[in-house]
Every structure is written in C-alpha cells, then in structure tokens.
Amino acid sequence: REDRGRSPQRDFHILFVPRRSLLCEQWLKEQGVLGSFIHREQYSLDLIPFDGDLLSMESESAFKECYLESDQTSLYHAAKGLMTLQALYGTIPQIFGKGECARHVANMMIRMKREFPGSQNSIFPVFDTLLLLDRNVDLLTPLATQLTYEGLIDEIYGIQNTYVKLPPEKFAPKKQGESGKDLPTEPKKLQLNSAEELYAEIRDKNFNAVGSVLSKKAKIISAAFEERHHAKTVGEIKQFVSQLPHMQAARSSLANHTSIAELIKDITTSEDFFDNLTVEQEFMSGIDTDKVNNYIEDCIAQKHPLIKILRLVCLQSVCNSGLKQKVLDHYKREILQTYGYEHILTLNNLEKAGLLKPQTSGRNNYPTIRKTLRLWMDDVNEQNPNDISYVYSGYAPLSVRLAQLLARPGWRSIEEVLKMLPGPHFEERQQLPTGLQKKRQHGENRVTLVFFLGGVTYAEIAALRFLSQMEDGGTEYVIATTKLINGTSWIKSLMEKLEPAPF
C-alpha cells in the first residue's frame, strides 16, 4: 500500500528475535515485499536476568523441542548464551554435566571456542564451575507440589516473568461503613523479586514458616510507627520523617504479603490439597507405587482438572521406574473415557518424554536412587531447615542433590546411581590463560553456575539458595535455565491442543 501511495516514502525495518527466519523471508519474497525492508536484522536474546542470581531464556517449548521433536535449536541458544557469559565474566575452568542435552551444549561450547580462537579474554574468571543438567535426569521434582512461599504462589496463580496476578478482593483498602459494592474487579498485579526486602526474606521459606515471620515484622513496623509519639526535639522529628518513606514501603509490602499468605492458606488448608499432597508424598517415599491408586481413580471419576490427574499419574510412574502394563492401560482407559479420546496424543507425548512409561526391565531403580541420594527425609524441620528437603516438606530435589554432591565429595562417590539416571555424565576442563588461575583465599567461596536445560522450578531455586547460604557450604550458586516452570505449565507445554473441526 505504501508503494502505491504518493506520500513521501517511509523506511521499513524488520527485526527478528532471536534469529532471522528463512521461512519468513521466503514468504515476504513471495508476497513481493521483501525489497521494501531496508534492514533485516536479528537480535539474539539469550539469557535474561530475572534476579541477582537467576537467568532465564524464557523459551517455553525448549523441553518439548529437545525431548519430543529432537530439535536442538534451544540448546544452540543456551550454548551461545553461555559463550556471552564467558565473554563478560571470564572462561569457566570446569564444566560438569549430566544428560544428552548437557553433552550437546558442552560440545557446542567447545566447538565455538575452537572456531573463535580470539575469544580468549583476559578477564579473571568469576565462575569456578558450570554444571549442565538435563531436565529429564530429574523428571520427578517438577511434578511434585512446591511448598515454598514463592513456589506456592507459582503453583496457584502462576508467576509470569516475575509478575503475578492475584484476585483483587483481598487487596481492597477497607474503609469504615462502606459496603462491598465498589470492590475492584481488575486483578492485582505485583512484581516479585529480591528488590523487596520482605519478599527476599520469605520467598524461599517453607510456607509453614512464613506466618511467624510476617507477624514478627508486623510488630517491628508498628513499634517503629509508635516512635513518633516519643519524638520531642526537632532533630528527632526530622530523623523520624526521613525514615518515613522506607517505613511506609515496608508497611505496604507487609500488607500485600499478608494478603497473599491468606489467599494461599485458604487453599493449603483445604481437604483436597491435603489429600493430593499425601498421595504425592506416599509415592515419593516409595509407598504403593506399583498398583492403581484409589485417590487418582476417585479424582478421575469426579472429573478433576486433567492436568492434576496427569501430574499424579506421571509422578507415580517416575517413582516406580515405569508402571506395570496393566496399571498403565487402566489409567489410560479411565482418562480417555472421562476426558475424551483426543487426549491420546497427549498421553503419547508424555510416554515419549519418559514421564509415563511401561516398566520395561521389571526392576524399579527408584528405591536405590532414593536411598543413595537421600531423597526422602523423615524428620524435616520446616521452621529452621538443616537440609534442602524442606522445600517439599520431606523430598529433596534430585537435581539439587546432584549439585550438592558435586561440590562435596564429588560425583565419584555416586558413580553407580549416576549410571541409573538417563544420559551420560562428563567433565571437561577449559584452559585458562596464564596468570588467571585462581589462588583461593582462606574462607573464599567457590561460585557454581547451574544451568537447567528444559526448565527449573522455584523450589529448586530455593534449595540452591539454601545451599549458598550454608555456613560450611563453601559454594555459592547462580542459576540459569531455559524456562521457569511448575508442574502445571510443564505438562501443559507437552499437551497436544486439538483444534475442533470447523463445521
């Protein structure tokens, strides 16, 4: 239309994120408009910083592409992102990895380094170790319900790029004598990151430990506001006024988180939540994983949301290294008869991804893995945790346990179990230019970058932060991932959406 117009010509540009698409350019060419675009550029958006210790590629379909479609594009971008990080923060001397995708990413990094010999920079390395972990090495963790404060917000309301939308009724300012007719209808949108002091303090705690922190904070804040009655001199009043903005921010932050905690508590104290959690925990501790579960049957009969059913059945399958054929067939039949036969494609995808599979060897390796890696802890302390298992009230995320054991005493101690988990495990060393080798001062922590290929949950992030803060840990963790996920968003990404017939 522009070409036909008589008006002064405008310049058109097209910018592809994250890379130029040949198909798109071909289509524009067929339409005869490719020549109108003066510039055709691409902007490679690899890793986006979400917080001080968290980077994400926000590539939603990375897991599906890698494990179902054998499309490794997202792995190439992960490798590129890691090369950019090394250009900024120095070469990472040690690379460890577990899983097929991890092996691919490491190979691509080594190849990129060979192809650009000039990329050797003389920056002192910030990271000591890179740990590449495939999501399919630990399929169990995302299926379980996260029990940290941030994890539960994500499970219930879904956190999108650090923002959450919440039902507005809890956030309406209550005024005396007003009826509820003018309640807000727009959802309340909040940003969640560590810039907010209170959130940084409670985000990674087990939800059962959040209430006491909030009430303690409330007492401190009201005491601070009481101070104003004691301010007599001009100097004291001035000092009080200077602290006011900070105090008011703290008060509104407290009000928000108290409201969120109330919303979550309504759900976590419900019978349904409790029953669901009980079944999850029985599976994870190895109870009755090999037969049809009554609770799951009841949920299907009552037509609970399909994703909830799929999460539980997949959890049972993973905790039993696959299900006996007749148990699997029974579940499939029940699901298809209740929810519709179009879901046969989704079940097929879950099977291909290894989440729902028949038991082939007849041996269940999960108990051995559980015992060796101490994945189930009976005496979990939710208030003052001493182990990462607090994030799931008893279950320690396998992925984080691998990271913890890598730091100390090293993976040689768990060779047997590593062989039971899918994919190869490997170690690579990258040569540092002379003079850049670290000489560690006494008491200085090592820094490990853990990259989850296929997604990471907030509970795993909380567990890694817990390890970073341990007095005698000796390792700090920075987390990178292809996407922040929870069980629901993860299963959703694997479901086939069928368009109904147009007639």
Side-chain angles (χ1 to χ4, degrees):
R1 200 166 81 198
E2 192 74 12
D3 290 347
R4 286 199 298 273
R6 304 276 180 276
S7 57
Q9 293 292 308
R10 273 180 282 200
D11 292 350
F12 285 95
H13 309 265
I14 190 164
L15 191 64
F16 291 98
V17 183
R19 64 194 168 278
R20 281 170 77 151
S21 147
L22 292 172
L23 285 172
C24 182
E25 289 188 358
Q26 184 61 36
W27 188 83
L28 291 168
K29 196 171 170 183
E30 284 165 15
Q31 302 300 316
V33 292
L34 191 63
S36 311
F37 292 100
I38 300 171
H39 283 287
R40 295 195 291 280
E41 303 290 336
Q42 59 182 13
Y43 177 64
S44 58
L45 184 66
D46 297 317
L47 289 163
I48 308 155
F50 269 31
D51 217 317
D53 57 355
L54 178 62
L55 299 151
S56 172
M57 290 166 56
E58 285 307 283
S59 155
E60 286 183 24
S61 48
F63 183 84
K64 186 177 186 178
E65 285 166 9
C66 294
Y67 298 103
L68 294 184
E69 295 159 2
S70 303
D71 170 358
Q72 289 164 3
T73 320
S74 57
L75 300 182
Y76 169 73
H77 285 286
K80 284 268 297 224
L82 285 164
M83 294 309 280
T84 311
L85 267 186
Q86 290 190 105
L88 294 168
Y89 299 108
T91 305
I92 306 174
Q94 281 184 305
I95 302 177
F96 289 91
K98 173 74 180 141
E100 292 290 347
C101 296
R103 185 65 270 185
H104 280 302
V105 171
N107 289 349
M108 281 193 263
M109 285 170 69
I110 293 160
R111 198 171 67 234
M112 286 172 187
K113 199 169 172 198
R114 253 203 327 268
E115 288 168 4
F116 304 108
S119 66
Q120 267 295 6
N121 52 14
S122 51
I123 298 174
F124 209 74
V126 171
F127 299 107
D128 298 276
T129 312
L130 165 65
L131 169 58
L132 295 162
L133 277 179
D134 273 31
R135 182 70 276 171
N136 81 334
V137 170
D138 171 16
L139 292 169
L140 170 58
T141 302
L143 294 168
T145 304
Q146 310 171 64
L147 296 175
T148 57
Y149 179 57
E150 188 167 35
L152 276 165
I153 296 176
D154 189 37
E155 291 280 357
I156 299 166
Y157 298 108
I159 299 173
Q160 285 293 330
N161 309 329
T162 73
Y163 279 91
V164 67
K165 288 182 174 167
L166 298 155
E169 56 275 6
K170 284 270 189 206
F171 297 90
K174 303 238 183 353
K175 294 201 177 73
Q176 258 69 45
E178 271 191 24
S179 64
K181 62 179 181 297
D182 46 0
L183 279 178
T185 49
E186 284 295 298
K188 172 91 170 167
K189 193 175 179 185
L190 289 177
Q191 187 174 17
L192 303 173
N193 62 29
S194 59
E196 189 183 347
E197 273 174 52
L198 177 61
Y199 187 62
E201 187 179 335
I202 59 176
R203 67 192 302 179
D204 301 323
K205 290 189 182 302
N206 183 296
F207 185 63
N208 288 335
V210 169
S212 57
V213 178
L214 291 176
S215 64
K216 226 182 267 159
K217 277 277 181 286
K219 288 192 183 93
I220 294 169
I221 290 172
S222 61
F225 274 101
E226 281 305 306
E227 285 290 301
R228 69 177 189 273
H229 300 308
H230 306 302
K232 299 282 190 290
T233 66
V234 174
E236 286 172 347
I237 292 169
K238 199 171 168 187
Q239 196 191 350
F240 178 80
V241 171
S242 71
Q243 290 170 344
L244 207 55
H246 179 255
M247 284 158 57
Q248 281 167 330
R251 182 157 70 176
S252 86
S253 166
L254 177 72
N256 282 339
H257 290 294
T258 308
S259 300
I260 298 173
E262 283 173 6
L263 285 168
I264 292 175
K265 196 165 192 258
D266 291 345
I267 289 172
T268 55
T269 49
S270 69
E271 202 174 316
D272 197 38
F273 184 87
F274 179 75
D275 292 345
N276 191 67
L277 195 62
T278 307
V279 171
E280 282 184 14
Q281 300 208 328
E282 281 175 359
F283 288 157
M284 292 189 287
S285 54
I287 300 169
D288 290 344
T289 53
D290 56 348
K291 51 182 200 256
V292 172
N293 182 282
N294 294 340
Y295 175 73
I296 297 179
E297 279 194 309
D298 290 347
C299 287
I300 296 174
Q302 292 165 23
K303 216 164 177 183
H304 281 220
L306 176 61
I307 290 188
K308 171 186 172 175
I309 309 290
L310 294 176
R311 272 178 80 165
L312 283 170
V313 176
C314 291
L315 186 73
Q316 182 176 355
S317 167
V318 174
C319 292
N320 198 53
S321 304
L323 296 167
K324 288 189 186 127
Q325 194 63 53
K326 73 170 202 278
V327 175
L328 185 61
D329 291 343
H330 177 80
Y331 280 141
K332 280 183 173 173
R333 194 169 56 243
E334 293 288 305
I335 288 169
L336 294 176
Q337 287 176 353
T338 306
Y339 295 94
Y341 283 91
E342 67 271 23
H343 295 294
I344 198 156
L345 295 172
T346 294
L347 293 174
N348 188 34
N349 283 353
L350 295 173
E351 204 162 320
K352 251 167 120 181
L355 281 163
L356 189 62
K357 57 176 208 267
Q359 204 173 40
T360 41
S361 62
R363 264 207 74 220
N364 176 7
N365 284 331
Y366 177 70
T368 316
I369 297 169
R370 189 183 68 235
K371 284 190 190 81
T372 315
L373 298 179
R374 305 196 333 279
L375 296 185
W376 184 259
M377 309 293 265
D378 281 320
D379 47 347
V380 67
N381 182 346
E382 295 170 342
Q383 305 294 330
N384 298 309
N386 53 2
D387 181 75
I388 55 171
S389 56
Y390 82 93
V391 297
Y392 285 99
S393 294
Y395 164 71
L398 191 155
S399 54
V400 183
R401 197 61 105 198
L402 289 179
Q404 185 183 12
L405 290 166
L406 176 66
R408 191 189 295 174
W411 275 359
R412 285 204 181 84
S413 58
I414 51 163
E415 283 283 339
E416 288 308 305
V417 167
L418 281 174
K419 285 184 190 136
M420 291 177 185
L421 298 169
H425 58 283
F426 59 88
E427 176 182 356
E428 297 283 351
R429 290 189 179 277
Q430 299 201 84
Q431 276 316 110
L432 289 175
T434 36
L436 289 183
Q437 279 84 353
K438 259 197 186 172
K439 291 179 182 56
R440 198 168 307 290
Q441 265 78 47
H442 179 65
E444 189 189 352
N445 281 345
R446 303 176 66 81
V447 183
T448 297
L449 174 66
V450 187
F451 201 129
F452 290 86
L453 300 159
V456 67
T457 61
Y458 285 104
E460 287 167 296
I461 295 170
L464 283 166
R465 284 183 181 142
F466 174 78
L467 291 180
S468 296
Q469 287 159 0
M470 273 167 73
E471 292 292 305
D472 55 346
T475 308
E476 277 180 49
Y477 292 94
V478 176
I479 301 124
T481 179
T482 50
K483 176 88 180 100
L484 294 160
I485 58 169
N486 59 40
T488 303
S489 65
W490 189 42
I491 296 271
K492 211 178 248 171
S493 76
L494 294 170
M495 290 175 81
E496 286 295 335
K497 292 172 196 59
L498 284 182
E499 296 303 319
F503 39 79

